[in-house]
Amino acid sequence: MSKFKRMSLFGWILCISCSAFSQETKIIAFNQVLNLNVGQSYQFELENLNPSTQLWTAFYVVGVPQSAGMDTHANLTIMGDGLIAEDHPKTPVESITLIANDLPVRQNYSLKEFSGLMGEIEDQTGQKVQDPNLSQTGNVRIYGRILDWIPEYNLQKPAKISFSINNPKDFDIKAVYMIVGEGVKTSQLLELAIENKDIAKQPQQTGSESKEKDSFPLAMKSLLLLIFVALISFLVIARRKKA
């Protein structure tokens, strides 16, 4: 193989490698609130947003019902100030009723069970993920939601995202985690979208299986696949040259 072809192939591999790494999730903020005060608004400011920013927020809620009633619930309210919700652009407020009986029971309720995502959070924000202090763990319910936002045009002040827990009825919300990021969502992040009890019907992964899966980001899998294809192409070209 000529030197020119070798350099061209190397350049191609380098380009696709950079492309794969550029698809990793960019986390710009993380907020965790344990032992929430009902009705209090927890707020985070986002400064210097580009008008074309593809912004998303992921919420992960941990709660314990205090009764088995069908009306055991709490309301999660999410508000964007200076942001437009893609699902409902006319109103910046998302109000979600968390009905305990409709949420999956999860013994492995900790956000740390998503080990790959937890690593990304801690590496990119410098914060350590903490678990809520629970006296009982046999009936813990979880909820996850991912929302997409775009900044308001010509915004002159910092955008804000806030959330609060309101009107709980026999449903003690122990922790709310908020992850704010830009760009693509990795498979690890999408696993947080646990919105109803249908998730509970799916086979539960063991802790080791979940960690093994989460510790290998989608972008890295794509990179390895592309490198493998490049090496095969290199061998094919080299074999043709010898022939």
Side-chain angles (χ1 to χ4, degrees), residues 18-62:
C18 292
S19 175
F21 277 118
S22 68
Q23 296 301 308
E24 291 184 347
T25 296
K26 180 181 179 182
I27 298 174
I28 60 177
F30 174 66
N31 193 8
Q32 54 187 346
V33 182
L34 313 178
N35 301 317
L36 296 91
N37 294 320
V38 173
Q40 180 176 342
S41 179
Y42 298 90
Q43 182 175 277
F44 187 84
E45 288 192 359
L46 301 164
E47 299 182 352
N48 302 319
L49 285 180
N50 189 301
S52 62
T53 299
Q54 297 296 311
L55 189 72
W56 48 260
T57 55
F59 288 88
Y60 186 69
V61 182
V62 179

Side-chain angles (χ1 to χ4, degrees), residues 22 104 111 133 147 154 238:
S22 68
L111 186 62
N133 184 17
L147 301 172
N154 283 336

Side-chain angles (χ1 to χ4, degrees), residues 120-141:
E120 291 182 358
I121 292 171
E122 295 185 346
D123 289 344
Q124 297 186 43
T125 68
Q127 298 188 57
K128 295 293 183 181
V129 176
Q130 301 177 23
D131 289 332
N133 184 17
L134 303 184
S135 59
Q136 55 174 316
T137 60
N139 192 27
V140 179
R141 307 300 176 106

Side-chain angles (χ1 to χ4, degrees), residues 12 16-17 20 216 218-233:
W12 181 63
I16 59 178
S17 299
F216 209 54
L218 180 62
M220 184 60 70
K221 293 178 181 178
S222 300
L223 175 61
L224 292 177
L225 177 60
L226 291 171
I227 291 177
F228 175 75
V229 172
L231 289 175
I232 293 296
S233 300

Side-chain angles (χ1 to χ4, degrees), residues 6-213:
R6 290 194 185 95
M7 291 299 294
S8 297
L9 182 59
F10 176 76
W12 181 63
I13 294 174
L14 181 62
C15 288
I16 59 178
S17 299
C18 292
S19 175
F21 277 118
S22 68
Q23 296 301 308
E24 291 184 347
T25 296
K26 180 181 179 182
I27 298 174
I28 60 177
F30 174 66
N31 193 8
Q32 54 187 346
V33 182
L34 313 178
N35 301 317
L36 296 91
N37 294 320
V38 173
Q40 180 176 342
S41 179
Y42 298 90
Q43 182 175 277
F44 187 84
E45 288 192 359
L46 301 164
E47 299 182 352
N48 302 319
L49 285 180
N50 189 301
S52 62
T53 299
Q54 297 296 311
L55 189 72
W56 48 260
T57 55
F59 288 88
Y60 186 69
V61 182
V62 179
V64 178
Q66 302 302 304
S67 74
M70 295 300 295
D71 196 31
T72 300
H73 70 271
N75 294 331
L76 171 64
T77 302
I78 303 167
M79 177 177 291
D81 183 8
L83 297 168
I84 299 172
E86 291 191 1
D87 287 345
H88 41 81
K90 293 185 178 181
T91 172
V93 179
E94 177 90 4
S95 183
I96 306 161
T97 300
L98 306 178
I99 300 176
N101 284 335
D102 287 346
L103 301 179
V105 179
R106 184 70 61 86
Q107 290 185 341
N108 299 326
Y109 58 85
S110 172
L111 186 62
K112 296 177 183 178
E113 287 297 311
F114 302 88
S115 58
L117 177 60
M118 184 192 68
E120 291 182 358
I121 292 171
E122 295 185 346
D123 289 344
Q124 297 186 43
T125 68
Q127 298 188 57
K128 295 293 183 181
V129 176
Q130 301 177 23
D131 289 332
N133 184 17
L134 303 184
S135 59
Q136 55 174 316
T137 60
N139 192 27
V140 179
R141 307 300 176 106
I142 61 172
Y143 175 85
R145 182 72 175 270
I146 301 175
L147 301 172
D148 292 295
W149 309 81
I150 56 175
E152 289 184 358
Y153 187 69
N154 283 336
L155 184 66
Q156 301 299 318
K157 60 182 180 179
K160 300 176 183 178
I161 294 177
S162 60
F163 65 88
S164 60
I165 293 293
N166 302 285
N167 305 316
K169 181 178 180 181
D170 297 331
F171 196 13
D172 191 4
I173 302 301
K174 296 294 187 179
V176 177
Y177 301 87
M178 180 181 71
I179 309 166
V180 184
E182 297 178 5
V184 299
K185 309 177 187 75
T186 64
S187 59
Q188 299 164 355
L189 178 67
L190 293 174
E191 289 178 4
L192 286 186
I194 306 167
E195 299 185 22
N196 55 52
K197 60 186 178 183
D198 292 338
I199 302 297
K201 299 177 183 178
Q202 300 177 4
Q204 294 287 331
Q205 294 177 323
T206 64
S208 59
E209 289 174 340
S210 177
K211 290 178 180 179
E212 181 180 357
K213 179 179 180 181

